[in-house]
Amino acid sequence: MNLKKEDYPVTVLYDFDLGEFSPKERSVARKVSDLSPMFHDKAATEALIKQGDPLVYEIFYYGFKTSLSDMALGTTRIQPGKVGDEYYMTKGHFHAAENQPEIYFCVKGQGNLLMQTIEGEFLAERWKVGTISHIPPMWAHRVVNTGNEPLVFVASYHLSAGHNYGPIEEKGFRKLLVERNGKPEFVLNEQWK
Ligand code: M6P
Ligand code: ZN
C-alpha cells in the first residue's frame, strides 16, 4: 500500500470551555443576514441587520479526506439569541445525495433538533449535553439554540453528502420554535404549505 500524506490518522482536541476543536480547520460564519429567508419576523430581521448584523453561528470543518474515504467532522457553535421571538438556529438542509445520513452529538448547551421529510413529516428532539441523534437519509435537519449559552454540536457525515438548502429556504420547517412567556414553544409556520 502506497500511503499518501492524507492517508495518515488525524487527531483533534475538543476544548469544553471554549466549545471549539483545535486545530481549527476551515470555518464559516453565518450572520442574521445569511438567514434572512428563514426567520419568520421580517421586520425584526431587517432591524437586526441594520443594527450590525450579529453572528448567529460558526461551522468548523474537518474534511478527513483520504485516498479512499471522505468521512468529515463538523462542529457548529450557535450563539444564544433571538430574531423577534424566534430562537437562533442553523439554516437547515437536506443532503444533495439522497442516501446519506448524519450523526449529531450535542456537546454544549441545550435546544432542539428539527427534522422533516420533503412530504412534511415533522419530528423534533429535545437536546441537552450528551444527546446523540442519528439523522436518516431524506430528512432535513436544523438545530435551534433555546438556551442562554452557546449550543455546540459535533456532526459526522460524508463530504459527498452535500447540502440542499432549496426547500428549506423556500418554505422552512412546519413548526417554528419561539419564546412564549420566557419559554420555548412550537407554533405552526404559516409559510409552510
Ligand atoms: C453541521 C453539518 C454541516 C452543516 C452545519 C450547519 O456541522 O451538518 O454539514 O453545514 O451543521 O448547518 P447548515 O448547513 O444547515 O447551516
Ligand atoms: Zn447534514
Side-chain angles (χ1 to χ4, degrees):
M1 185 162 135
N2 190 11
L3 291 173
K4 295 188 186 136
K5 189 170 170 265
E6 62 267 29
D7 296 324
Y8 282 84
V10 176
T11 299
V12 298
L13 188 67
Y14 177 67
D15 183 320
F16 282 87
D17 295 325
L18 284 178
E20 276 183 11
F21 283 75
S22 66
K24 283 188 207 165
E25 222 186 51
R26 275 164 291 163
S27 69
V28 175
R30 293 211 166 113
K31 299 177 170 187
V32 170
S33 57
D34 297 309
L35 286 103
S36 54
M38 275 91 190
F39 290 114
H40 82 103
D41 186 335
K42 301 302 172 203
T45 306
E46 283 311 310
L48 271 178
I49 294 171
K50 282 199 187 115
Q51 285 161 33
D53 199 10
L55 174 73
V56 178
Y57 63 101
E58 298 148 285
I59 314 163
F60 305 98
Y61 296 97
Y62 298 88
F64 297 126
K65 220 170 171 193
T66 74
S67 303
L68 296 171
S69 62
D70 69 345
M71 176 63 104
L73 187 70
T75 65
T76 304
R77 181 169 55 192
I78 312 174
Q79 293 303 314
K82 287 182 297 218
V83 174
D85 59 1
E86 194 173 8
Y87 294 98
Y88 279 4
M89 60 194 183
T90 60
K91 285 174 78 165
H93 60 271
F94 285 92
H95 289 156
E98 296 189 333
N99 63 348
Q100 285 297 310
E102 186 158 2
I103 289 174
Y104 275 3
F105 179 12
C106 178
V107 290
K108 191 181 180 73
Q110 56 176 295
N112 283 78
L113 167 66
L114 315 186
M115 289 170 286
Q116 182 168 292
T117 66
I118 199 76
E119 292 83 15
E121 182 158 357
F122 175 90
L123 277 174
E125 296 285 354
R126 184 100 195 93
W127 266 18
K128 59 182 184 181
V129 172
T131 308
I132 301 174
S133 299
H134 174 247
I135 302 151
M138 310 293 281
W139 288 79
H141 34 292
R142 161 181 288 167
V143 177
V144 187
N145 182 0
T146 58
N148 300 319
E149 59 169 339
L151 185 162
V152 183
F153 66 96
V154 176
S156 180
Y157 58 101
H158 288 114
L159 285 178
S160 49
H163 297 89
N164 173 12
Y165 292 103
I168 301 299
E169 274 175 7
E170 220 175 281
K171 52 186 191 172
F173 283 75
R174 267 190 119 124
K175 289 182 188 170
L176 309 174
L177 203 38
V178 298
E179 189 180 77
R180 291 279 184 274
N181 305 315
K183 287 197 190 132
E185 199 174 298
F186 282 104
V187 294
L188 283 180
N189 171 14
E190 311 263 309
Q191 246 182 293
W192 203 92
K193 283 181 194 84

